[in-house]
Amino acid sequence: MQDIATDTTWVEAAPVSAFEADGGRAVLINGTQIAVYYFADENQWYATDNMCPHRGQQALSRGMTGTEGDEPKVACPFHKKTFSLKSGKCLSGDEYTIKTYPVKIENETVFIGV
Amino acid sequence: MDTKKQKLIVVGNGMTGYKFCEKFVEKGLGEKYEIIVFGEEPWAAYDRVHLTDYYTGTSIYDLKLAPRTWYEENNITLLTSAKIVEINREQKEVTAQDGKAYAYDTLILSTGSSAFVPPIPGIDKEGVFVYRTIEDLEAIKAYIPKATKAAVIGGGLLGLEAAKAVMDDGLKTAVVEFAPRLMPRQLDDAGSQMLQAELEKLDLEILLSKSTRQIAGNGKVEAMEFADETTLEVDMVVVSAGIKPRDELAAKAGLEVGPRGGIVVDNKNQTSDPNIFAIGECALSNGMIWGLVAPCYDMAEVTASNLAGDDKTFDGADLSTKLKLIGIEVASFGDAFGQTDGAKPIVYQNLTNGLYKKIFVSEDKQRLLGGILVGDTSDYNMLFQTYKSALKLPAAPESMVMSGIEGGGMEISVLDLPDEAVICSCENVTKKRLVEAIDEHEITNVGQIKKCTKAGTGCGGCMPMLDDLFTAKLAASGKVVKKVICEHFDYTRQELFDLIKIGGIKTYPELLKKYGKGKGCELCKPVAASLLASIWNEFITKHSTIQDSNDKFLANIQKGGTYSVVPRIPGGEITPDKLIAIGAVAKKYDLYTKITGGQRIDLFGARVEELPLIWKELIDAGFESGHAYGKSLRTVKSCVGSTWCRYGQQDSVSFAIKVEERYKGLRSPHKLKGGVSGCIRECAEARGKDFGIIATEKGYNLYVCGNGGANPKHALLFATDIDEDTCIKYLDRFLMYYVRTAGPLVRTAKWLEQLDGGLDYLKQVVIEDSLGLGEELEADMQKIIDTFQCEWRSVVESPEQLKKFRPFVNAGATDDSIKFVPMRDQKRPANWDEIVTAEKVSEPA
């Protein structure tokens, strides 16, 4: 999340309280569905496309989060394809990549960089 | 630097061309070469072997061997929709369709093959198709609504695949083969007859020894006329009669081609021009065209290795195959026809269940030469390895075709194989490599072996062997093969059960902190959720983030992202008023309704935000959650029983309701189903359930550990002529013992199979109380029963809980990506390809 280009537009998503600790929720930003994940212990936030590229389902925000080694990940609830929340790369052996977005918290509000 | 690099051009981006790119990257050839790949199709290389999957709905994305970004990341320039039309060997240049020329130092031709179309009069009529590329399949699909009956020319592998695809689309289909048998290269007459009989059962017409004289019709296909004066009326013909190497580009450039096609290459894949190589199906190597994936991949690897400075050769390959054709397993390996001198056949044939196994052993009965398997290929891997590694045969070689038959089965273990035995032939991975990988990487599951060796990532046929090898290897090294949950918990499910129960652990973070590591994952979270529910029976939404999607939203997620709703209808008994209530709700929310196999009604197509509204109405009408979303008790199915049925011996409906009400809400390692039948006629199909109760004159017989599904098992007789109270006591103990000791997602039948001592042991524990656990198990069950609450009632009464049922946290909007299409006066979710527009599929170059 360090290499954010200066032309990132920060869009206000929702108050921190609207999200779920150690889980995901979807937000709608300019018509695009984005999944936002919150790892409460480390106070880490991640955001990715909500769509799983495997079957095109808008589902990742409804998946379970976790780690593989040190890599934070989410598992699609449909067929359990897992994706790194850092790189967006599929971790379960397929050649998919999902888009990731930078997240920042200001005044107890979650902003997504698009 | 770049200017010093040599220029490498690859013509063709099919499976072989892609494999070459993969090897190019693997061997670091990018240091030495600048590479451009030309593909004439609009998309990057895809998996042609699984083309039929595309036909049945798999998207092109899933068939892709690698996304475009992969080529970019590896500095491979990929130009698609770019056909090369000329090679200028003097200038060392190729010219693309658009007239642009590209210089090369080394040229690789992997132009593949096209469908061989026999020169039959009328073959150009409307309604004749070939079965080769994605465009071919799209054309076939588009024509099918206009057709009523199809013929497929060619009874080989691909022909039968094509026939299945067309037949699945609802067309009456016939296969027309010139040879006197199906799959003439792989099967003998008896094997072909067995396959034919099985295919005919599926309503596929098979015509053998048919030489097509012409395709008749006025402009479009109307009939096929054969040399034997017979005709077959069809309005569509799919040609799948073999392949023809694409050698026209090479031939035009003056490279040597074979008399019957194919670019002539030596065993280093070099053509008659030392700067040009040909690999895959376009090459004529060792006197033949190699039309299977594995040898083509070998050729790609040989050429890439040699460019990297190795000295490898391709000297032909084994053409053994194993595949599933229209659900029928077929395999053939080695000398399948017994042409070796002195070859002795051993045959096992069973006409009633469609099994045919024939192997050839050497004259001295010491070695396996080859064989054919139809109907069951579970022994293929071991047989193939035994043949390939020339292992010494057991004293009674006939045991090798008798697996599954008393006294039969393979006696050779996977660990007996020599190091050089190739276990995964797609990726060319040897046993030695696998064993080393297991040792070096401290591998703890088969998935990791796949990842670090690539074994099992091709056709997947070697997966059972990988499993065996892994288990045998760990067992041999003295390690206990423990079925731990995942990388976060070094415990089995049963161990976690005890840790949670004894340690009084109430939440997942607590469990993870105390006994686990990392942040958990999609494997351990639902296991923990199930255990916490089985032990403490607290409201499951308290542990919302560790529930699988279905348990999180208390509904079953379905295609398209909507949910289905199943209210409990105990024993399948329902009043007219309640039926009307369900109907009214379904109508109001426009839900698709279907009667389930468990005697209840499933309502599909509910949006996440509608779930609480729907449930509010159902609860007001007197319904409760049916727990269809949980790994928990689903239904107890019943027949109408002695109250109405003139044969009934006991009141099966009342007992089924009593049992279902008792165990509703019980969370278990996998779903649980029950059944109660009022007499021996067994109309409730209780023996296909985890527990089945069948009325007798004196009481009930109790059966346990059955299931339907992929591996149907009849439940086994557990106790005879018992009364209702005894039956419930046994069930309490049986179910709780299962909940405690089974692995995750293991149903009762499989659990019993794995239980040391089997059914007799289970009877001792439950009936004779040999472990002294009886009272404890009953008390645990009683606690679950006493603390039952309808999850949906709790949700609709809690404003806090309701917040979760919104598609987006930042907008009141509904999810407009959800689309439905009408079907038989109701609706169904739109398929992926019905949502994605055509331009998206043919991604921009």
Side-chain angles (χ1 to χ4, degrees), chain A residues 33 42 55 65 67 69 96, chain B residues 62 487 519-520 525 810 815:
Chain A
Q33 296 195 20
E42 302 86 349
R55 280 288 182 268
T65 56
T67 50
Y96 301 118
Chain B
D62 286 317
E487 67 176 72
K519 292 281 137 204
K525 284 181 170 181
N810 68 334
D815 181 351

Side-chain angles (χ1 to χ4, degrees), chain A residues 13 20-22 25-28 33 41-42 55 57-58 62 65-69 73 80 82 91 95-96, chain B residues 62 67 451 487-488 519-520 522 525 544-545 548-549 552 558 560-561 563 804 807-810 815 817:
Chain A
E20 191 170 42
D22 299 318
R25 280 293 159 85
V27 295
L28 196 60
Q33 296 195 20
D41 268 3
E42 302 86 349
R55 280 288 182 268
Q57 306 281 349
Q58 297 283 3
R62 290 180 261 175
T65 56
T67 50
E68 181 174 318
K73 66 169 181 176
K80 297 289 181 305
T82 57
L91 301 173
E95 293 284 353
Y96 301 118
Chain B
D62 286 317
K451 231 175 186 172
E487 67 176 72
H488 305 105
K519 292 281 137 204
E522 71 284 0
K525 284 181 170 181
S544 169
T545 57
D548 225 332
S549 182
K552 186 167 181 178
Q558 304 289 359
Y563 289 86
K804 193 169 64 188
F808 307 110
V809 296
N810 68 334
D815 181 351
S817 71

Side-chain angles (χ1 to χ4, degrees), chain B residues 554-761:
Chain B
L554 304 170
N556 296 48
I557 196 166
Q558 304 289 359
K559 211 160 123 183
T562 60
Y563 289 86
S564 65
V565 168
V566 188
R568 186 168 296 287
I569 301 177
E573 183 185 82
I574 187 164
T575 63
D577 278 343
K578 280 186 151 181
L579 266 180
I580 289 166
I582 289 184
V585 169
K587 203 165 177 179
K588 179 167 172 188
Y589 294 95
D590 188 21
L591 304 174
Y592 168 85
T593 53
K594 167 119 182 41
I595 310 285
T596 72
Q599 300 186 332
R600 41 197 196 169
I601 299 168
D602 206 340
L603 312 172
F604 291 80
R607 292 168 181 275
V608 70
E609 65 269 27
E610 290 173 335
L611 288 171
L613 305 173
I614 290 168
W615 271 107
K616 175 82 177 53
E617 296 196 21
L618 289 171
I619 286 166
D620 288 346
F623 287 101
E624 280 182 342
S625 165
H627 297 97
Y629 44 81
K631 300 298 175 211
S632 56
L633 180 83
R634 299 286 172 83
T635 69
V636 179
K637 189 174 174 177
S638 71
C639 70
V640 75
S642 58
T643 47
W644 289 87
C645 176
R646 66 189 190 282
Y647 297 114
Q649 287 176 314
Q650 306 287 346
D651 180 2
S652 50
V653 178
S654 297
F655 196 31
I657 293 172
K658 187 171 165 186
V659 174
E660 182 162 341
E661 292 281 5
R662 184 172 182 83
Y663 301 120
K664 67 186 179 189
L666 171 68
R667 301 276 152 170
S668 43
H670 209 312
K671 64 184 170 191
L672 279 172
K673 294 180 176 181
V676 183
S677 275
C679 78
I680 193 68
R681 283 168 190 77
E682 239 284 71
C683 297
E685 295 165 330
R687 288 193 65 198
K689 311 290 181 202
D690 296 280
F691 57 90
I693 301 164
I694 300 176
T696 65
E697 229 174 299
K698 297 176 201 155
Y700 293 96
N701 283 350
L702 175 62
Y703 295 80
V704 296
C705 300
N707 60 238
N711 291 303
K713 284 262 154 50
H714 267 150
L716 302 167
L717 183 61
F718 191 72
T720 316
D721 290 329
I722 50 177
D723 59 22
E724 289 194 5
D725 288 345
T726 312
C727 188
I728 283 180
K729 182 165 111 175
Y730 289 172
L731 277 176
D732 279 3
R733 293 179 177 187
F734 161 72
L735 290 172
M736 219 52 210
Y737 189 56
Y738 162 67
V739 165
R740 262 192 194 199
T741 59
L745 300 179
V746 174
R747 279 193 77 175
T748 52
K750 193 144 183 239
W751 166 70
L752 183 66
E753 246 172 57
Q754 295 165 351
L755 195 67
D756 274 344
L759 189 67
D760 287 338
Y761 176 76

